[in-house]
Structure formats: C-alpha cells, structure tokens
C-alpha cells in the first residue's frame, strides 16, 4: 500500500491508527524514553488516544503540524472532515514506537501498529512548533 499522509487522508486510519479489535488504547510509548525523545513519544501516545476517542479536532489542532492539517484540506473539507470518517473505524490505537531520531527542530519516529492482523511499520515525521512537537508527515517504512 503506497499511502502518504501528506496527500491521502485515509493513510491515517489505514496505516497508523489501524482499525483493530480492542476498544481501549494501551499506548505508553513515552514511558520508554527521556528528554526530547519522551516529548515525541508523548505525541504518539496523544495521537493514539485521540484516534480511539474519535477526536479529529484534537488531532488537527494540537497533534498535527499546521502545514499538515492545511494539506488535508481539499474539495471543500477541512482536516477534521478528512479524518472524521477514518476515525469512526478506529478501535485499537496501539502504536509502538521502536526508535526516535532527533535532528534539531525535526525528528522521525519508527512506529509499528496493527492493521488487519499484521504489524505495519511506518515513519512519522515531526517538527518543533514553539515548545511542542507536532506530526508533520507519515510514510511507510522503507
């Protein structure tokens, strides 16, 4: 599946948030990290919780970088509209962070999440926005 969050809103649910079988997120990626890496892992935990809650507003306003939220705006719908249908299918927000690489105000995190009974590896990109880290992109792991 060649999905990019930058151009295809369905990538969020299909590749990272993955509609699974359980009803509560068990994410605690931040517990495995310290410092800046912990801040980034906390964003992944926040994404997981907001996805399970179906909170597209939270994702668009505080988890996604403004540039990413703007790119999801198309054909008269905004970021929230683009995510609402996708989030309605999310029941398992478990996203495991396997590594984090920070370079200045940019970072990447390798993550694994369940999808249709298999584990999917993805790369989340992050950018520092003031004092907060935000997700700026998603790509399948190479």
């Amino acid at each position: 599946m060649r999905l990019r969050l930058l151009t295809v809103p369905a990538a969020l649910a299909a590749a990272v948030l993955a509609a699974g079988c359980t009803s509560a997120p068990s994410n605690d990626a931040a517990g495995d990290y310290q410092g800046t890496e912990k801040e980034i892992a906390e964003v992944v935990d926040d994404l997981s919780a907001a996805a399970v809650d179906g909170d597209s507003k939270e994702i668009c306003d505080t988890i996604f970088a403004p540039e990413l939220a703007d790119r999801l705006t198309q054909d008269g719908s905004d970021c929230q509209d683009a995510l609402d249908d996708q989030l309605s299918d999310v029941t398992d927000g478990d996203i495991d962070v396997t590594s984090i690489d920070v370079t200045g105000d940019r970072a990447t995190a390798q993550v694994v999440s369940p999808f249709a009974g298999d584990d999917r590896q993805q790369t989340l990109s992050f950018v520092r926005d003031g004092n907060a880290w935000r997700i700026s992109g998603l790509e399948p792991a190479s």
Side-chain angles (χ1 to χ4, degrees):
M1 200 183 307
R2 46 184 218 289
L3 300 173
R4 284 187 155 206
L5 187 57
L6 301 178
T7 57
V8 182
L12 181 64
V16 169
L17 300 179
C21 301
T22 63
S23 60
S26 59
N27 250 40
D28 185 23
D32 295 331
Y33 295 94
Q34 296 180 2
T36 301
E37 291 178 344
K38 181 178 181 111
E39 293 172 14
I40 292 165
E42 286 172 345
V43 175
V44 175
D45 290 343
D46 292 346
L47 173 63
S48 173
V52 170
D53 290 345
D55 194 347
S56 60
K57 180 170 177 38
E58 176 75 11
I59 294 170
C60 292
D61 291 352
T62 64
I63 296 172
F64 283 176
E67 297 80 16
L68 176 57
D70 289 346
R71 283 191 295 256
L72 293 178
T73 300
Q74 53 187 299
D75 300 327
S77 66
D78 63 9
C79 178
Q80 285 181 247
D81 294 334
L83 295 181
D84 280 338
D85 288 339
Q86 308 304 318
L87 294 178
S88 66
D89 292 332
V90 175
T91 58
D92 182 349
D94 190 25
I95 305 170
D96 294 324
V97 177
T98 59
S99 68
I100 297 172
D101 182 38
V102 180
T103 305
D105 287 341
R106 300 209 174 269
T108 57
Q110 302 303 312
V111 300
V112 177
S113 60
F115 179 73
D118 294 320
D119 286 342
R120 289 277 169 99
Q121 295 184 0
Q122 305 290 313
T123 302
L124 289 174
S125 299
F126 296 82
V127 63
R128 186 178 290 280
D129 182 23
N131 290 328
W133 287 95
R134 293 188 178 211
I135 295 173
S136 59
L138 162 75
E139 296 182 24
S142 53

